């Protein structure tokens, strides 16, 4: 007869095996599009169309998709535009959100509670609701479209609430008030306390906000397409539309452009990945 402990152990092993199988299946489904891009970027258009799952096309291995794609989309110009907009928007968002969260956490003012409540509530508003009024205001009335600064301003505005929410939890949980009191006794001002004590202690959350916002800004297509009307200001997602023709599309060039576009964010993630989980869970448990 099987004892209860043995039955429980057997059920636990079965559950563990099923969990591993499920995770493997999900991983394969998640990674498959990326693998498909990798194996097709080194093929000519005919091979991609005839057999997209083949590791090597019948016409052999080619690297011409990369220089052709870079030339057609004017890669270095659009890369520079994306880098300027993404880096500037991310830095401004982190700085403003961290300072706003610190003020909200450390002050029991009613205005702080109301402001934080409005920020949390604003996160549920879809961008599509604000899209047409926003473009009408900045374009038709203020005539401020087709400027990088306008897009940066909008990126910061839309991402500030979520970033402040994350920093609020991190500061409230991971930064003891005793450290700030000790710094005050040592003669630090409120400004010095924030930059020398608080800000270094929330590095995991800073890294998390940086990678989340940088990915969002870098990959965003809708907002830049509404704001940036001049070709000289195009970002990488908008520039990739030159590969899509009315009657045909060179899939090889599209794959090369997609791979070039994802590499910077992939490298950034690899550098910051050890902070991601810690930053996301920061503030979740008291």
């Amino acid at each position: 007869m099987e004892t209860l402990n043995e039955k429980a152990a057997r059920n636990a092993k079965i559950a563990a095996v099923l969990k591993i199988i499920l995770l493997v299946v999900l991983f394969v489904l998640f990674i498959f599009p990326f693998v498909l891009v990798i194996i097709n970027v080194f093929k000519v258009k005919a091979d991609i169309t005839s057999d997209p799952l083949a590791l090597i096309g019948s016409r052999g291995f080619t690297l011409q998709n990369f220089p052709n794609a870079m030339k057609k989309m004017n890669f270095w110009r659009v890369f520079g535009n994306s880098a300027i907009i993404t880096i500037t928007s991310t830095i401004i968002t982190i700085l403003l959100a961290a300072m706003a969260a610190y003020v909200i956490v450390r002050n029991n003012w009613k205005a702080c509670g109301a402001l934080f409540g409005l920020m949390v509530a604003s996160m549920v508003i879809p961008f599509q609701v604000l899209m047409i009024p926003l473009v009408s205001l900045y374009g038709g009335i203020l005539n401020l479209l087709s400027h990088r600064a306008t897009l940066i301003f909008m990126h910061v505005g839309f991402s500030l609430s979520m970033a402040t929410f994350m920093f609020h939890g991190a500061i409230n949980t991971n930064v003891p008030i005793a450290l700030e009191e000790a710094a005050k006794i040592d003669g630090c001002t409120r400004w010095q306390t924030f930059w020398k004590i608080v800000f270094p202690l929330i590095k995991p959350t800073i890294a998390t906000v940086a990678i989340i916002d940088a990915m969002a800004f870098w990959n965003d297509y809708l907002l830049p397409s509404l704001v940036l009307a001049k070709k000289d200001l195009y970002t990488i997602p908008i520039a990739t539309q030159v590969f899509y023709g009315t009657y045909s599309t060179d899939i090889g060039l599209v794959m090369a452009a997609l791979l070039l576009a994802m590499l910077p964010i992939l490298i950034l993630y690899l550098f910051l990945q050890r902070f991601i989980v810690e930053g996301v869970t920061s503030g979740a448990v008291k």
Side-chain angles (χ1 to χ4, degrees), residues 90-106 111-123 155-173 194 202 205-206 208-210 212-213 217 279 282-283:
T90 303
I91 291 175
I92 294 175
T93 299
I94 289 173
L95 295 179
L96 292 181
M99 289 188 286
Y102 179 66
V103 171
I104 292 171
V105 171
R106 293 298 184 240
C112 290
L115 177 61
F116 186 65
L118 288 174
M119 284 186 168
V120 173
S122 69
M123 290 191 295
H155 275 323
V156 172
F158 284 117
S159 61
L160 199 59
S161 296
M162 175 61 77
T164 303
F165 177 77
M166 295 182 68
F167 281 121
H168 182 279
I171 294 173
N172 197 31
T173 304
F194 174 76
I202 55 175
T205 307
I206 293 173
T208 304
V209 172
I212 291 174
D213 284 344
F217 300 151
S282 178

Side-chain angles (χ1 to χ4, degrees), residues 98-109 112 171 177 179-181 183-199:
M99 289 188 286
Y102 179 66
V103 171
I104 292 171
V105 171
R106 293 298 184 240
N107 295 283
N108 294 322
W109 304 334
C112 290
I171 294 173
I177 190 67
L179 291 178
E180 297 178 39
E181 293 172 347
K184 185 177 181 180
I185 293 173
D186 289 339
C188 285
T189 63
R190 197 73 177 269
W191 184 257
Q192 291 173 325
T193 300
F194 174 76
W195 290 112
K196 295 182 179 180
I197 304 296
V198 178
F199 201 71

Side-chain angles (χ1 to χ4, degrees), residues 21-89:
I21 293 173
L22 177 62
L23 291 174
V24 170
V25 171
L26 291 175
F27 173 76
V28 171
L29 293 175
F30 179 80
I31 205 69
F32 181 73
F34 181 74
V35 174
L36 203 61
V37 171
I38 295 296
I39 63 177
N40 284 295
V41 76
F42 301 108
K43 301 178 188 175
V44 298
K45 180 181 177 180
D47 288 337
I48 298 174
T49 305
S50 61
D51 193 1
L53 296 179
L55 294 178
I56 301 177
S58 59
R59 292 164 182 81
F61 184 88
T62 181
L63 292 172
Q64 280 303 113
N65 287 330
F66 289 102
N68 291 342
M70 293 175 71
K71 182 179 179 181
K72 190 170 183 179
M73 70 186 297
N74 203 342
F75 177 76
W76 293 116
R77 185 185 67 193
V78 298
F79 178 85
N81 291 335
S82 291
I84 291 171
I85 292 169
T86 300
I87 294 172
T88 306
S89 301

